[in-house]
Amino acid sequence: MALYSRRLLKELKELTLTPPSGIKVVEADDLDRWTLKLEGASGTLYEGETFELEFRFTPNYPMESPAVVFIGNVPIHPHVYSNGHICLNILYTHWTPAQTVSTVCLSLLSMLSSCKRKERPPDNDGYVGRASQNPKKTKWAFHDDEI
């Protein structure tokens, strides 16, 4: 069994048996594509809201990050585009094999929880009009660690 298969099966087992608060596996029948549900934390702008994330893995995981996008109900957030793409450096340039699906979800919940105002990124319309379906094909510029 390949490294990525062993790693994903281990992560899936942990996420299913002992999921972090606010995170639930919706579907992971296909090892290459998972859907997870995030619940907005109480006391935040997203309290009571739920969002779905799609993780797409390649055989290079965990050496290479998965492609991660919000699907369906996309949160209105300064780092989340209306097509579901997420501008967060740990998904791209700051990815390390020590990260897991669980740590990515926790980082996204933290990003949502610390948000002070619901708004789209200023370049949302332009980006969505020209973006590839795969957010990993975007050359991201990370310049805001405040949100």
Side-chain angles (χ1 to χ4, degrees), residues 1 6 9 22 46 57 73 79 86 93 97 101 133 137 142 144 146:
M1 186 181 298
R6 284 192 310 270
L9 288 170
Y46 302 95
F57 304 94
N73 178 29
H79 290 171
I86 306 159
T93 59
V101 172
Q133 256 191 305
K137 293 185 177 181
F142 304 106
D144 182 3
E146 298 287 316

Short mmCIF file of all heavy atoms in Angstrom, two decimals, residues 1 6 9 22 46 57 73 79 86 93 97 101 133 137 142 144 146:
data_model
loop_
_atom_site.label_atom_id
_atom_site.label_comp_id
_atom_site.label_asym_id
_atom_site.label_seq_id
_atom_site.Cartn_x
_atom_site.Cartn_y
_atom_site.Cartn_z
N MET A 1 0.85 -1.19 0.00
CA MET A 1 0.00 0.00 0.00
C MET A 1 0.89 1.25 0.00
O MET A 1 1.86 1.32 0.73
CB MET A 1 -0.90 -0.02 1.24
CG MET A 1 -1.91 1.10 1.23
SD MET A 1 -3.00 1.16 2.68
CE MET A 1 -3.83 -0.37 2.60
N ARG A 6 -1.91 4.78 3.01
CA ARG A 6 -1.79 4.48 4.44
C ARG A 6 -2.07 5.73 5.27
O ARG A 6 -2.80 5.69 6.26
CB ARG A 6 -0.39 3.95 4.77
CG ARG A 6 -0.17 2.52 4.36
CD ARG A 6 1.11 1.93 4.97
NE ARG A 6 2.29 2.76 4.79
CZ ARG A 6 3.12 2.68 3.75
NH1 ARG A 6 2.88 1.81 2.78
NH2 ARG A 6 4.18 3.45 3.68
N LEU A 9 -5.86 6.70 5.07
CA LEU A 9 -6.69 5.78 5.84
C LEU A 9 -6.55 6.03 7.34
O LEU A 9 -7.54 6.00 8.08
CB LEU A 9 -6.34 4.33 5.50
CG LEU A 9 -6.80 3.87 4.11
CD1 LEU A 9 -6.20 2.51 3.76
CD2 LEU A 9 -8.31 3.84 4.02
N GLY A 22 -16.69 20.68 15.72
CA GLY A 22 -17.06 21.48 14.56
C GLY A 22 -16.68 20.87 13.22
O GLY A 22 -16.88 21.49 12.18
N TYR A 46 -19.99 33.36 12.21
CA TYR A 46 -20.48 32.18 11.47
C TYR A 46 -21.22 31.20 12.38
O TYR A 46 -21.51 30.08 11.95
CB TYR A 46 -19.30 31.50 10.77
CG TYR A 46 -18.61 32.45 9.82
CD1 TYR A 46 -17.49 33.16 10.22
CD2 TYR A 46 -19.11 32.67 8.55
CE1 TYR A 46 -16.88 34.07 9.37
CE2 TYR A 46 -18.50 33.57 7.68
CZ TYR A 46 -17.38 34.27 8.11
OH TYR A 46 -16.78 35.16 7.26
N PHE A 57 -6.95 14.81 -3.23
CA PHE A 57 -5.60 14.36 -2.96
C PHE A 57 -4.97 13.75 -4.21
O PHE A 57 -5.67 13.17 -5.03
CB PHE A 57 -5.61 13.28 -1.86
CG PHE A 57 -6.26 13.70 -0.59
CD1 PHE A 57 -7.61 13.43 -0.37
CD2 PHE A 57 -5.55 14.38 0.38
CE1 PHE A 57 -8.22 13.81 0.81
CE2 PHE A 57 -6.16 14.77 1.56
CZ PHE A 57 -7.51 14.49 1.78
N ASN A 73 -22.55 26.06 -0.06
CA ASN A 73 -22.67 27.31 0.69
C ASN A 73 -21.27 27.82 1.03
O ASN A 73 -20.66 27.37 1.99
CB ASN A 73 -23.49 27.06 1.96
CG ASN A 73 -23.63 28.30 2.81
OD1 ASN A 73 -23.61 29.42 2.32
ND2 ASN A 73 -23.76 28.10 4.11
N HIS A 79 -10.97 36.14 2.80
CA HIS A 79 -9.98 35.24 2.20
C HIS A 79 -10.61 34.06 1.47
O HIS A 79 -9.92 33.10 1.11
CB HIS A 79 -9.02 34.70 3.26
CG HIS A 79 -8.11 35.75 3.80
ND1 HIS A 79 -7.30 35.54 4.87
CD2 HIS A 79 -7.88 37.03 3.44
CE1 HIS A 79 -6.60 36.63 5.13
NE2 HIS A 79 -6.95 37.55 4.28
N ILE A 86 -9.73 29.29 -1.44
CA ILE A 86 -9.33 29.83 -0.15
C ILE A 86 -7.91 30.36 -0.25
O ILE A 86 -6.99 29.64 -0.65
CB ILE A 86 -9.39 28.72 0.92
CG1 ILE A 86 -10.77 28.08 0.95
CG2 ILE A 86 -9.01 29.28 2.29
CD1 ILE A 86 -10.80 26.70 1.58
N THR A 93 2.08 27.58 -0.22
CA THR A 93 3.52 27.77 0.00
C THR A 93 4.01 27.33 1.37
O THR A 93 5.18 27.03 1.54
CB THR A 93 3.91 29.25 -0.21
OG1 THR A 93 3.16 30.06 0.70
CG2 THR A 93 3.65 29.69 -1.64
N PRO A 97 4.37 18.30 5.33
CA PRO A 97 3.78 16.96 5.47
C PRO A 97 3.28 16.67 6.89
O PRO A 97 2.54 15.73 7.09
CB PRO A 97 4.92 16.02 5.09
CG PRO A 97 5.85 16.84 4.27
CD PRO A 97 5.73 18.24 4.80
N VAL A 101 -5.52 16.62 7.31
CA VAL A 101 -6.85 17.13 6.99
C VAL A 101 -7.44 17.81 8.21
O VAL A 101 -8.02 18.89 8.13
CB VAL A 101 -7.76 15.98 6.49
CG1 VAL A 101 -9.19 16.46 6.35
CG2 VAL A 101 -7.24 15.42 5.18
N GLN A 133 -10.13 25.76 -12.19
CA GLN A 133 -10.94 25.04 -11.21
C GLN A 133 -10.11 24.61 -10.02
O GLN A 133 -10.61 24.49 -8.92
CB GLN A 133 -11.56 23.79 -11.85
CG GLN A 133 -13.02 23.96 -12.16
CD GLN A 133 -13.63 22.61 -12.53
OE1 GLN A 133 -13.16 21.93 -13.43
NE2 GLN A 133 -14.67 22.25 -11.83
N LYS A 137 -3.43 26.00 -8.89
CA LYS A 137 -2.84 26.57 -10.10
C LYS A 137 -2.76 28.10 -10.02
O LYS A 137 -2.25 28.74 -10.93
CB LYS A 137 -3.63 26.14 -11.33
CG LYS A 137 -3.48 24.65 -11.58
CD LYS A 137 -4.14 24.22 -12.85
CE LYS A 137 -3.88 22.74 -13.06
NZ LYS A 137 -4.47 22.25 -14.29
N PHE A 142 0.25 36.35 -0.52
CA PHE A 142 -0.22 36.39 0.87
C PHE A 142 0.30 37.65 1.52
O PHE A 142 1.49 37.84 1.67
CB PHE A 142 0.28 35.16 1.63
CG PHE A 142 -0.13 33.87 0.96
CD1 PHE A 142 0.79 33.12 0.26
CD2 PHE A 142 -1.44 33.44 1.00
CE1 PHE A 142 0.41 31.94 -0.36
CE2 PHE A 142 -1.84 32.28 0.36
CZ PHE A 142 -0.90 31.53 -0.32
N ASP A 144 -1.92 39.41 4.14
CA ASP A 144 -2.77 39.80 5.25
C ASP A 144 -2.89 38.67 6.25
O ASP A 144 -3.58 37.69 5.99
CB ASP A 144 -4.17 40.20 4.73
CG ASP A 144 -5.10 40.66 5.82
OD1 ASP A 144 -4.67 40.73 6.98
OD2 ASP A 144 -6.25 40.95 5.51
N GLU A 146 -4.00 39.24 9.33
CA GLU A 146 -4.89 39.77 10.36
C GLU A 146 -6.23 39.07 10.43
O GLU A 146 -6.90 39.12 11.44
CB GLU A 146 -5.14 41.26 10.10
CG GLU A 146 -3.88 42.12 10.15
CD GLU A 146 -3.38 42.29 11.55
OE1 GLU A 146 -4.21 42.54 12.47
OE2 GLU A 146 -2.16 42.16 11.78
#
